[in-house]
Amino acid sequence: MSIINRTMELNHKKYMKIAIDQARKADHKGEVPVGAVLIDADGNILAAAHNQTIHQCDPTAHAEILVLRQASKKIQNYRLLNAALYATVEPCVMCMGAIVHARISTLVFGAQDPKWGAAGSLYDLAHDARLNHQLEVIAGICEASCRTLIQEFFRKRR
């Protein structure tokens, strides 16, 4: 078990629901509906965000990157030790690289992404021993809700 205490294990759904609310905000704006929340070891929310790549004209404005930026500014440190990141969809390679660099201790995500996922589906950066940091990954929290959001978004676009 990670540094995040056992009580936090019981709250995964609580934080994922906040991430889902963020994903819905992205959906309402026409963005790919991905949401993320970053919490500290005591369960305090450091940041919450949703995808904003279109709105910001920025290919790096993924929900995960935005919460890492917000939290780093908040605590005045790019190393987010003992923090847990909740994302509705498995992070991509870019986001997982940033998560590893930030030294996040736990990643919790809802739906797997077999086309872009870098936390076990396509790549597994979280457990790559060649990197200088590995983290715990917990998949499948509120999976059906997360999967439905993303699938309906792309179904409407086709």
Side-chain angles (χ1 to χ4, degrees):
M1 172 170 281
S2 72
I3 295 171
I4 295 176
N5 62 36
R6 185 86 174 130
T7 305
M8 292 310 304
E9 295 291 330
L10 303 174
N11 291 318
H12 288 319
K13 288 183 181 180
K14 169 186 163 184
Y15 295 111
M16 188 60 73
K17 287 177 182 178
I18 297 168
I20 290 168
D21 288 341
Q22 288 291 319
R24 286 188 180 117
K25 288 180 183 180
D27 189 30
H28 292 309
K29 295 178 179 178
E31 299 273 1
V32 176
V34 176
V37 176
L38 190 70
I39 63 167
D40 67 17
D42 295 322
N44 299 309
I45 295 174
L46 296 173
H50 55 275
N51 275 3
Q52 296 184 48
T53 56
I54 297 166
H55 178 73
Q56 293 189 17
C57 298
D58 180 355
T60 70
H62 289 196
E64 302 93 330
I65 299 294
L66 296 174
V67 295
L68 294 174
R69 288 176 183 162
Q70 289 172 23
S72 294
K73 285 182 182 176
K74 185 174 188 173
I75 69 164
Q76 293 295 294
N77 193 338
Y78 77 96
R79 288 193 173 175
L80 300 166
L81 305 172
N82 304 320
L85 193 149
Y86 289 78
T88 56
V89 176
E90 179 180 1
C92 70
V93 173
M94 173 185 69
C95 293
M96 278 305 297
I99 288 166
V100 170
H101 279 291
R103 308 300 195 271
I104 299 297
S105 65
T106 306
L107 167 67
V108 181
F109 69 86
Q112 291 183 318
D113 186 347
K115 292 183 180 180
W116 288 94
S121 291
L122 186 60
Y123 300 102
D124 191 3
L125 296 183
H127 301 111
D128 191 327
R130 297 170 295 181
L131 301 175
N132 65 349
H133 177 70
Q134 287 81 47
L135 57 140
E136 178 181 19
V137 174
I138 300 167
I141 303 298
C142 301
E143 181 177 7
S145 298
C146 295
R147 187 180 333 104
T148 298
L149 258 174
I150 198 94
Q151 286 176 341
E152 286 181 4
F153 174 83
F154 285 113
R155 199 171 293 132
K156 285 186 249 176
R157 297 282 185 255
R158 292 184 183 129

